Amino acid sequence: MVEYSWAKDFGLDIFDVQTKIYWSNRTFVGRGAANSLRLAIEKSCAETLERLACFHNGISSIGVAAHSNRQAAEAHAMSEALERELLCTYMNNKISPIEMNIPEEHSPKYNLPVGTTSRRFHLSNQNDNSCLSIFKLEDQYFLGLSIAEEKFEAIHKADLESLRNLAAFHSNKNDFKSQITKNSDLWCCDNQIIKTIMEGHAEESVFPDSDNWRTTYLAFPNDAIFYSAPVHIAFVKKEDKSK
């Protein structure tokens, strides 16, 4: 496990932990951020096991979420699936999301590198508790997205996703840019994807049909080390109505 200090440097009072698990000659990596170190560790371990379960079941991590509570795992997985569905709608249809109007007194304040700019959008204007955050430093964009129970929780989580990568870029720009082309997890720092979203035509209402989704639970490998893992891995996938 590794604890990162960037959040404190940027003015966020949180802990950010990365966990690596080695299994069957492969490495699985997860990250977790929270107000307490213990919860950050728990989240990072859960995400690492989530990645391992995805590999074991031969699927991507889209629409997948891990949690110690079964119902919470399903709710988070649904949010993950809807987030990606909305993002693909903007990308594929060249639609631009509606920009948020956040009063200055409620706008989050961070200690960011000089020259950093930010914009926030409604991931869906049918759901006020969603956010798409885009930060930019020099010529590099960083994207984060979230659907949460409260609007400002969504903003915080989307900002965190963006700023985590911005911090990595700020500490080593050349290495980060080379990683964008190699690491599939860094699709959210692909300048072309982000520009496509921002430059689309305005659209008043975008939200996917939430009635056509199926939830399953992923199994771990049949190894004794996983028997006591206190985590549920939910997978939410859109069903094809044409079948």
Side-chain angles (χ1 to χ4, degrees):
M1 293 181 181
V2 176
E3 181 186 353
Y4 293 94
S5 63
W6 73 269
K8 301 291 194 300
D9 297 337
F10 279 30
L12 284 80
D13 188 21
I14 61 171
F15 298 89
D16 183 14
V17 174
Q18 175 182 276
T19 297
K20 289 184 180 180
I21 290 178
Y22 303 95
W23 174 79
S24 189
N25 298 317
R26 295 186 66 91
T27 302
F28 302 91
V29 182
R31 289 280 286 270
N35 293 329
S36 74
L37 180 58
R38 178 172 180 167
L39 185 55
I41 290 173
E42 182 179 325
K43 286 184 174 183
S44 70
C45 289
E47 183 172 279
T48 311
L49 289 171
E50 173 189 312
R51 297 293 177 87
L52 190 154
C54 287
F55 171 77
H56 176 65
N57 289 272
I59 63 171
S60 76
S61 60
I62 297 174
V64 180
H67 201 282
S68 57
N69 177 278
R70 188 178 177 91
Q71 287 72 34
E74 184 170 344
H76 291 178
M78 175 60 78
S79 293
E80 292 270 352
L82 291 175
E83 289 166 13
R84 191 61 68 91
E85 178 83 359
L86 285 163
L87 191 68
C88 289
T89 298
Y90 292 122
M91 290 167 50
N92 296 336
N93 298 316
K94 294 182 169 50
I95 299 171
S96 178
I98 307 300
E99 191 154 9
M100 277 188 178
N101 181 19
I102 305 176
E104 181 64 27
E105 62 270 21
H106 296 303
S107 181
K109 305 294 191 299
Y110 306 116
N111 300 327
L112 301 180
V114 174
T116 301
T117 59
S118 65
R119 296 174 69 184
R120 297 179 184 86
F121 302 85
H122 293 284
L123 191 52
S124 167
N125 65 346
Q126 291 186 30
N127 182 347
D128 196 42
N129 302 335
S130 64
C131 179
L132 189 158
S133 295
I134 295 176
F135 286 77
K136 183 182 181 185
L137 180 59
E138 298 178 8
D139 62 344
Q140 181 62 52
Y141 287 95
F142 310 91
L143 178 150
L145 59 160
S146 175
I147 295 176
E149 292 184 3
E150 302 289 340
K151 176 179 180 178
F152 289 101
E153 179 188 358
I155 292 173
H156 171 74
K157 292 174 68 175
D159 283 1
L160 178 61
E161 286 189 2
S162 298
L163 294 176
R164 177 183 282 163
N165 287 320
L166 191 153
F169 170 79
H170 184 60
S171 65
N172 192 331
K173 297 171 186 175
N174 291 332
D175 180 63
F176 187 87
K177 286 193 172 185
S178 70
Q179 288 297 318
I180 292 177
T181 59
K182 303 174 185 176
N183 187 345
S184 60
D185 286 342
L186 291 178
W187 62 268
C188 51
C189 301
D190 186 317
N191 281 345
Q192 190 55 52
I193 289 176
I194 299 172
K195 287 179 181 178
T196 298
I197 294 170
M198 295 177 67
E199 295 171 0
H201 64 273
E203 186 83 1
E204 288 190 4
S205 178
V206 176
F207 201 78
D209 179 7
S210 59
D211 297 327
N212 193 35
W213 303 81
R214 179 171 59 90
T215 302
T216 57
Y217 283 85
L218 303 184
F220 284 120
N222 191 28
D223 293 8
I225 58 171
F226 298 113
Y227 291 168
S228 62
V231 66
H232 304 276
I233 315 287
F235 174 39
V236 173
K237 183 178 181 180
K238 196 170 189 177
E239 294 195 310
D240 188 353
K241 287 184 176 180
S242 63
K243 294 182 179 180

